[in-house]
Amino acid sequence: METDRLLAGAEDGHTGDHGSGSATSRRDLRGSRRMSYSAAGSWCHLDGDNEDLNIQQAVVFIEDAIHYRSINHRVDASSLQLYRWYYSRICQWSLGTVIAVVLLLAFVERPSSLSISSDPHHRTIPWEPPCGATESVEMLCLIVFCLDLAVKSYLIGWEEFRKSKWLISYTVVVLISVIDWVLSVSMVCDEKLRVRRLVRPFFLLQNSSLMKKTLKCIRRTLPEIASVILLLALHLCLFTMIGMLLFAKNEDPKKNGEWELHFKDMTTSLTSLLVLLTTANNPDVMIPAYTLNRGYSIFFITFSVIGTYCLMNLLTAIIYNQFRGYLLMSVQTSIIRRRLGIRAAFHVLSSHRVQAESQEHVSVNTVLQVMSRINMKSYYKSAITMAAQQFAEQGYMNRMQFRRIFDELDKDCVKEHPPLPQYTSATLQKLQVINLCFILFYLFEMSVKIFAFGWRGYLSYRSNIFDGFLTILLLVLQIAIFIAYWLPHSQWYPSSHDVMSLWEMVRLVNMLIVFRFLRIIPDIKLMALVASTLLDLVKNLRAFAGVLVVVYYVFAVFGIWLFEGAIKPPPEMSVLSLENIISNFSTVCGTYEQLGYWPNNFDDFAAAIILLYDVMIVNNWQAFMEAYSRYTSEWSKIYFVCWWLTSSVMWVNLFVALILENFIYKWDRSHSCSVTDVEKIQYETSVQFMFKEQIQEPTEEELVCQLHQHPHLQLHW
């Protein structure tokens, strides 16, 4: 997965973009193979004296290729040291922690979420930090962001900074946050509106290249689905007008049930059919009319078949197809970045030999020296090092050979378990499959497996780790039960609730024993495939989940601004007393009040997040929309419809698309494997691996063109 935080215009279509380049540029680059470079503004020719700098540059370029980063940054010695420090694990983890802290401030700031319940009837006055506490933490975070912006701007240079829309936006967001922070402190934290809360999610977006690309893919997908959205809107409006004519007000009050509840005016009619599109109010919406005449059901069934089952599924297909295409384009750009980084590393390593040799080549010892300095996963480093050592007798490798050894980066990461020790005794081999149902036998089985496989072999299986954890936990519980209830002079009783009663311990033990049956998943091929797909989704959904967090955050802040304190329940009402609900407060069945949805509100940030989640599920979401339209205005429905379109329509369909791609890839890779193979081999799937077969490799002319456009490494061919 990508870890690029330094987009020097590669996603904005500027000079740093990895494209094919013009035909004129390609022809110009086919001439001389001699090369010189400019670092930090000074020209110098590459020779043996600069060999250490060449190695540093190659190390950084290869690390950029590993992480799909842009190579358009400064390449002098001091800048390279700063660059590697910036992308070090501790620096990036620190920056990620700061971003998490600034986002979590919303739970503590006014209105504070630090209360046990969000129900107005039970919510105590939440603790709110004194003025200046959260502001001080936020200012420290803003200082870190300023330093982050300064480092990024310096590393890519002023020219590239002006071309990067993300970095310019980053500057604007930091300035807005600082200005709003100053206003907040000057008003003694008594301001009603904090604009900086709305822009905080930008810090999360700008820190991840894959999130930027995901957002860009979503933005490009929107125009493609506009036709279906328009068709859906026409379908909704057409049936709304037909419904208003079909269920018009009748002179007989007994026949006005449908008109009174669902088709009284244009707004009510649109809302009722929109909710029916999500099936949340089916069949409630048609019951009054269906009671009078069963023929009225044809109207609602026709609307649902066309809208829900045809247009909505067509929308899903279009979103999947278009987003998949743009995601493939994004992955294509990432692969070009990797090839470009490898090509740049070869050039800086071979440049000092060009003057004396007719062909470019690089020493094997130099390559091994570079590999010893690169920070990368051990299995990739060992594979590339072994591939390079194959040319040890030759002493050097050319451009194609150099590129070929780094093809190991494009291969699936295969986790192979250590070989089993060979035992001569048949008894020991049989003991490896013992799996009894009692806890002592579980422990015995675990011991036998550890003895048979060895510690490394035992821990290389996730199923063994799962079994071992549950076995130890079960053993601890049994020992606790024995000590508590069976030792002489024990003062505990089965019904004791001081820590955990005997019955609770027994239930917990039984639950863990049942839970242990999940170990059968790896033994069934299809179940193992589904489980591994779900595990891979956790990794591949980071960018999607990050953008979803941003969307949740923004809508929650807007919801608090618009609806904080809008719904105030009657003071004499108690949600714990059904008699009080009936006697003191008359409510319509199915409404917000009758359903007791009081904890779902926008009175604090945590409650707003939960309410948005409830609306995304679309189960009874019309109750929230109808309640806030009554307590505020009819225009509040726009907010809930926008959230439904963003979360339930767009995001759920994108989630389905990613699940399909991931599962199809895993199925294609493992359909020929046996159950044992699926257990022994674990493919580490990434977005790049899923689209590997559809990716077109860049040509040599394209790579040379991109190298020629490097802003800090001037090449002459």
Side-chain angles (χ1 to χ4, degrees), residues 580-635:
N580 287 346
I581 294 178
I582 297 175
S583 60
N584 298 332
F585 194 73
S586 178
T587 60
V588 179
C589 182
T591 59
Y592 180 94
E593 295 84 357
Q594 187 271 331
L595 294 171
Y597 284 171
W598 305 106
N600 296 279
N601 52 62
F602 287 100
D603 292 347
D604 58 70
F605 190 79
I609 294 292
I610 299 301
L611 192 149
L612 291 176
Y613 173 78
D614 292 337
V615 174
M616 186 180 73
I617 301 301
V618 301
N619 185 28
N620 273 351
W621 72 291
Q622 73 276 10
F624 303 107
M625 182 167 57
E626 187 271 336
Y628 278 96
S629 64
R630 281 190 290 107
Y631 283 97
T632 56
S633 70
E634 290 288 335
W635 294 101

Side-chain angles (χ1 to χ4, degrees), residues 125-327:
I125 299 177
W127 177 84
E128 293 185 357
C131 180
T134 58
E135 285 73 16
S136 300
V137 175
E138 186 175 13
M139 178 48 65
L140 292 176
C141 295
L142 291 176
I143 292 174
V144 173
F145 294 143
C146 290
L147 293 175
D148 178 53
L149 177 61
V151 171
K152 286 181 177 179
S153 304
Y154 168 77
L155 288 175
I156 67 173
W158 172 247
E159 292 298 326
E160 293 298 311
F161 174 82
R162 292 191 304 173
K163 299 173 185 178
S164 177
K165 296 179 181 178
W166 280 101
L167 288 182
I168 293 175
S169 302
Y170 193 9
T171 305
V172 173
V173 169
V174 171
L175 288 176
I176 291 175
S177 300
V178 171
I179 293 173
D180 191 63
W181 183 89
V182 172
L183 293 176
S184 177
V185 173
S186 62
M187 298 175 65
V188 198
C189 310
D190 196 31
E191 78 283 5
K192 300 297 182 182
L193 198 65
R194 294 189 177 186
V195 180
R196 63 185 184 276
R197 295 184 71 180
L198 191 62
V199 298
R200 283 174 186 168
F202 182 85
F203 299 129
L204 179 63
L205 277 179
Q206 63 82 31
N207 198 48
S208 170
S209 175
L210 198 55
M211 282 190 197
K212 295 175 186 177
K213 290 185 177 181
T214 302
L215 192 64
K216 187 177 182 180
C217 291
I218 294 173
R219 180 171 55 85
R220 287 183 173 182
T221 304
L222 291 178
E224 304 295 337
I225 66 174
S227 57
V228 181
I229 294 291
L230 179 61
L231 186 61
L232 198 62
L234 292 176
H235 167 73
L236 190 62
C237 292
L238 176 63
F239 273 82
T240 296
M241 291 185 289
I242 295 176
M244 292 183 68
L245 294 175
L246 192 62
F247 305 111
K249 187 176 182 180
N250 198 290
E251 295 180 356
D252 187 359
K254 296 181 180 180
K255 299 181 179 181
N256 288 333
E258 191 71 36
W259 171 82
E260 183 71 28
L261 295 176
H262 304 293
F263 291 92
K264 193 173 186 178
D265 50 48
M266 187 70 174
T267 304
T268 306
S269 303
L270 275 173
T271 304
S272 298
L273 291 182
L274 177 63
V275 176
L276 179 60
L277 198 65
T278 66
T279 70
N281 62 350
N282 185 65
D284 299 349
V285 67
M286 76 172 184
I287 289 300
Y290 183 62
T291 302
L292 298 176
N293 190 333
R294 69 180 66 200
Y296 284 130
S297 62
I298 299 176
F299 170 82
F300 297 99
I301 293 175
T302 304
F303 174 83
S304 297
V305 169
I306 297 176
T308 304
Y309 298 107
C310 293
L311 294 180
M312 292 297 290
N313 288 324
L314 179 63
L315 184 63
T316 300
I318 291 178
I319 290 176
Y320 167 70
N321 184 64
Q322 295 299 325
F323 183 80
R324 184 182 185 277
Y326 288 123
L327 188 60

Side-chain angles (χ1 to χ4, degrees), residues 239-470:
F239 273 82
T240 296
M241 291 185 289
I242 295 176
M244 292 183 68
L245 294 175
L246 192 62
F247 305 111
K249 187 176 182 180
N250 198 290
E251 295 180 356
D252 187 359
K254 296 181 180 180
K255 299 181 179 181
N256 288 333
E258 191 71 36
W259 171 82
E260 183 71 28
L261 295 176
H262 304 293
F263 291 92
K264 193 173 186 178
D265 50 48
M266 187 70 174
T267 304
T268 306
S269 303
L270 275 173
T271 304
S272 298
L273 291 182
L274 177 63
V275 176
L276 179 60
L277 198 65
T278 66
T279 70
N281 62 350
N282 185 65
D284 299 349
V285 67
M286 76 172 184
I287 289 300
Y290 183 62
T291 302
L292 298 176
N293 190 333
R294 69 180 66 200
Y296 284 130
S297 62
I298 299 176
F299 170 82
F300 297 99
I301 293 175
T302 304
F303 174 83
S304 297
V305 169
I306 297 176
T308 304
Y309 298 107
C310 293
L311 294 180
M312 292 297 290
N313 288 324
L314 179 63
L315 184 63
T316 300
I318 291 178
I319 290 176
Y320 167 70
N321 184 64
Q322 295 299 325
F323 183 80
R324 184 182 185 277
Y326 288 123
L327 188 60
L328 178 60
M329 292 171 55
S330 176
V331 174
Q332 180 74 49
T333 302
S334 301
I335 295 301
I336 294 177
R337 284 186 173 186
R338 171 166 287 181
R339 301 293 180 262
L340 186 63
I342 300 300
R343 188 70 171 87
F346 177 78
H347 269 298
V348 297
L349 290 177
S350 62
S351 57
H352 65 284
R353 298 179 179 269
V354 175
Q355 298 180 2
E357 304 287 344
S358 59
Q359 292 183 349
E360 290 179 305
H361 63 265
V362 60
S363 169
V364 174
N365 292 331
T366 304
V367 175
L368 296 178
Q369 188 177 357
V370 170
M371 291 303 302
S372 64
R373 298 189 185 184
I374 294 176
N375 294 324
M376 60 188 304
K377 293 182 178 179
S378 58
Y379 44 81
Y380 283 134
K381 178 180 287 189
S382 60
I384 295 173
T385 302
M386 290 178 61
Q389 289 173 346
Q390 295 177 358
F391 301 94
E393 295 183 1
Q394 184 177 349
Y396 63 90
M397 60 183 69
N398 58 28
R399 174 175 53 84
M400 293 304 298
Q401 293 169 340
F402 184 82
R403 173 180 173 177
R404 199 173 297 121
I405 67 172
F406 286 97
D407 287 344
E408 297 291 336
L409 294 173
D410 300 325
K411 297 180 180 179
D412 290 9
C413 168
V414 179
K415 180 180 179 182
E416 296 184 358
H417 303 290
L420 299 179
Q422 299 297 324
Y423 296 101
T424 57
S425 172
T427 305
L428 291 177
Q429 296 176 1
K430 294 179 180 179
L431 288 177
Q432 297 178 26
V433 295
I434 293 180
N435 181 22
L436 302 178
C437 300
F438 303 98
I439 294 175
L440 291 179
F441 287 103
Y442 288 159
L443 183 63
F444 178 69
E445 178 196 19
M446 184 180 71
S447 303
V448 170
K449 283 186 174 182
I450 294 174
F451 179 74
F453 288 97
W455 276 108
R456 290 185 58 192
Y458 180 83
L459 295 178
S460 65
Y461 290 86
R462 291 180 179 175
S463 59
N464 286 343
I465 298 176
F466 177 77
D467 282 348
F469 174 76
L470 288 185

Side-chain angles (χ1 to χ4, degrees), residues 504-619:
E504 291 172 342
M505 285 189 175
V506 171
R507 285 200 302 269
L508 182 57
V509 169
N510 291 333
M511 288 172 59
L512 291 176
I513 292 175
V514 174
F515 194 61
R516 194 173 184 268
F517 281 112
L518 292 177
R519 61 176 299 177
I520 68 172
I521 290 178
D523 297 326
I524 302 177
K525 180 180 176 181
L526 186 58
M527 292 181 65
L529 184 64
V530 173
S532 62
T533 302
L534 294 176
L535 292 176
D536 278 340
L537 280 176
V538 176
K539 176 184 62 179
N540 289 329
L541 277 178
R542 287 181 299 179
F544 292 86
V547 180
L548 184 60
V549 167
V550 170
V551 175
Y552 259 97
Y553 203 100
V554 171
F555 270 86
V557 172
F558 267 121
I560 293 174
W561 287 357
L562 296 173
F563 307 119
E564 181 186 359
I567 297 181
K568 293 181 173 59
E572 72 277 3
M573 180 179 175
S574 172
V575 296
L576 298 179
S577 176
L578 182 62
E579 292 78 12
N580 287 346
I581 294 178
I582 297 175
S583 60
N584 298 332
F585 194 73
S586 178
T587 60
V588 179
C589 182
T591 59
Y592 180 94
E593 295 84 357
Q594 187 271 331
L595 294 171
Y597 284 171
W598 305 106
N600 296 279
N601 52 62
F602 287 100
D603 292 347
D604 58 70
F605 190 79
I609 294 292
I610 299 301
L611 192 149
L612 291 176
Y613 173 78
D614 292 337
V615 174
M616 186 180 73
I617 301 301
V618 301
N619 185 28

